[in-house]
Amino acid sequence: MLVVHPRLGDFRGAPVRGVRALLALLRVRLVLAEDELDSPHARYFAERVEIARPERLEESWPRLRRFVDAHPIDAVFAQTEAGLLLGALAARHAGVRGISIQAAHACTNKYVSRVTLAAQRVPQPEFALVSSESEARAFADVHGYPV
């Protein structure tokens, strides 16, 4: 199982060492894709793939793609928002089930999320995509503060 987890801190809320025996019993081999391979939890993974910081997706994906191309992957687990887009790319590339790239994008981009929810008639507060302080002030003047 490929675990895409920039800023690794825990594994589903429990320290990795606490589930290590269970994973071994289930014959689950964990591979960590992480930007800080010196994390104290990294040692609990069978293999590690160094990726760039979460905001540098364009650097991380080629590294992770090379790993996926060279190793069989049965599952991809992306626990955090920081790993979601990269995990979706890896799952699609490996041909395993996982969150779609479109869903990952909607989960990680507030504007896309709101537009998607609004299209399904889920009530949303007034919102707008702005590119300057003056546009934000104009929006706030019409819709109120805080923005």
Side-chain angles (χ1 to χ4, degrees):
M1 175 185 294
L2 175 63
V3 179
V4 181
H5 199 315
R7 302 286 186 252
L8 177 68
D10 55 42
F11 185 67
R12 284 217 183 243
V16 176
R17 69 176 183 274
V19 296
R20 192 173 189 191
L22 175 61
L23 294 173
L25 180 67
L26 296 172
R27 296 183 182 183
V28 174
R29 183 173 173 270
L30 295 179
V31 176
L32 174 65
E34 161 71 297
D35 67 318
E36 294 180 358
L37 294 183
D38 59 346
S39 162
H41 296 291
R43 68 178 184 267
Y44 297 112
F45 291 80
E47 200 167 343
R48 295 179 294 267
V49 180
E50 186 172 10
I51 57 175
R53 296 178 55 85
E55 64 275 7
R56 315 270 320 240
L57 182 67
E58 71 285 354
E59 292 177 29
S60 294
W61 174 235
R63 295 177 192 178
L64 191 55
R65 185 182 62 231
R66 282 191 297 275
F67 180 85
V68 171
D69 285 343
H71 300 85
I73 300 294
D74 297 320
V76 175
F77 178 72
Q79 181 177 0
T80 66
E81 183 177 330
L84 200 55
L85 287 167
L86 199 53
L89 286 167
R92 183 181 73 177
H93 190 72
V96 298
R97 290 175 56 180
I99 188 170
S100 71
I101 292 170
Q102 294 81 6
H105 185 228
C107 289
T108 58
N109 182 304
K110 188 177 281 190
Y111 180 76
V112 171
S113 178
R114 286 188 170 191
V115 167
T116 302
L117 290 169
Q120 297 301 313
R121 295 188 173 91
V122 176
Q124 298 294 305
E126 293 295 328
F127 65 93
L129 185 61
V130 299
S131 59
S132 69
E133 183 180 338
S134 62
E135 288 179 3
R137 286 184 191 278
F139 177 84
D141 288 342
V142 172
H143 299 284
Y145 288 88
V147 176

